[in-house]
Amino acid sequence: MNWWQHVLDLMQQYPQWALLISIAINTVVAIAGLVPSVFVTAANIYFFGFTNGVLVSIAGESVGAAISFILYRYFFRHKMQHLLARYPQAQKLANSSQKQSALLVLGLRLMPFVPSGIITFAAAIGSMHLLNFVLSSTIGKIPALLVEAALVQGFLEASWPLQITMVALGGILLFFFLKKNR
């Protein structure tokens, strides 16, 4: 049984707690920083339906980002600021004004291949306010979540041979992407 199925089973076993389970799992994924949330989105769409699943995913991503921001700020802010010198874009985000920070987070969230954890980390160790971060992060994540949800919905509706083909092609593309970017 895969990870996605465990999440779905947990939600089906405790339907009255499904919303909180989803948000809690999204929070753990956000704190981990580099783990993709597509499996939580898939469980949400399967369990809650497309529209409600997307809304639950948006809520989960927002709560997860906020809690990650707070934890990163509390535990890493003073210890890690010196490491920003190695990452000019992260340093720019950490040292920018509130308005610039909000626009940078918004823009970076619109890019689906930028790991969320890096954006959250850079904003948290900088001077950005929590409310500005949560608003710009959530607004920026909505288009990416809609695309992700549409892909998940298409995958869930596909026949199993087509699903296997999609997974195989995705694995091949990922292999070549990683090989090229080493």
Side-chain angles (χ1 to χ4, degrees), residues 7 13 15 26-27 46 62 75 90 99 143 146 156 158 164:
V7 172
Q13 189 175 356
N26 253 320
T27 300
Y46 189 84
S62 296
F75 288 109
K99 182 178 179 181
L146 289 172
L156 291 174
I164 292 171

Side-chain angles (χ1 to χ4, degrees), residues 32-174:
L34 298 174
V35 179
S37 64
V38 67
F39 302 108
V40 182
T41 302
N44 288 341
I45 289 171
Y46 189 84
F47 186 81
F48 295 106
F50 186 81
T51 302
N52 289 335
V54 169
L55 292 173
V56 169
S57 291
I58 291 168
E61 295 263 352
S62 296
V63 170
I67 291 172
S68 295
F69 180 93
I70 292 165
L71 291 173
Y72 292 170
R73 177 159 285 176
Y74 180 77
F75 288 109
F76 299 112
R77 186 178 198 176
H78 299 293
K79 297 173 186 171
M80 302 303 255
Q81 283 184 319
H82 67 281
L83 291 177
L84 284 179
R86 290 194 224 164
Y87 303 97
Q89 288 299 89
Q91 188 173 24
K92 183 178 178 182
L93 173 56
N95 297 327
S96 59
S97 70
Q98 293 300 311
K99 182 178 179 181
Q100 290 171 323
S101 295
L103 291 173
L104 279 168
V105 168
L106 177 67
L108 289 169
R109 288 288 194 226
L110 289 170
M111 295 181 213
F113 297 109
V114 178
S116 293
I118 292 171
I119 299 166
T120 304
F121 186 77
I125 65 174
S127 60
M128 188 172 198
H129 295 301
L130 175 62
L131 181 60
N132 288 346
F133 172 76
V134 171
L135 290 174
S136 57
S137 180
T138 301
I139 292 167
K141 277 299 256 181
I142 290 172
L145 267 170
L146 289 172
V147 169
E148 182 179 288
L151 291 171
V152 165
Q153 183 70 25
F155 182 82
L156 291 174
E157 291 176 353
S159 65
W160 70 267
L162 184 56
Q163 288 176 339
I164 292 171
T165 304
M166 286 184 212
V167 170
L169 287 174
I172 291 168
L173 289 173
L174 180 63

Side-chain angles (χ1 to χ4, degrees), residues 10-27:
L10 190 61
M11 292 166 74
Q12 288 174 334
Q13 189 175 356
Y14 302 101
Q16 69 277 19
W17 297 103
L19 178 65
L20 293 176
I21 290 168
S22 174
I23 290 173
I25 293 170
N26 253 320
T27 300

Side-chain angles (χ1 to χ4, degrees), residues 172-182:
I172 291 168
L173 289 173
L174 180 63
F175 171 78
F176 285 115
F177 176 79
L178 293 174
K179 185 176 178 181
K180 180 181 178 187
N181 289 315
R182 276 195 185 208

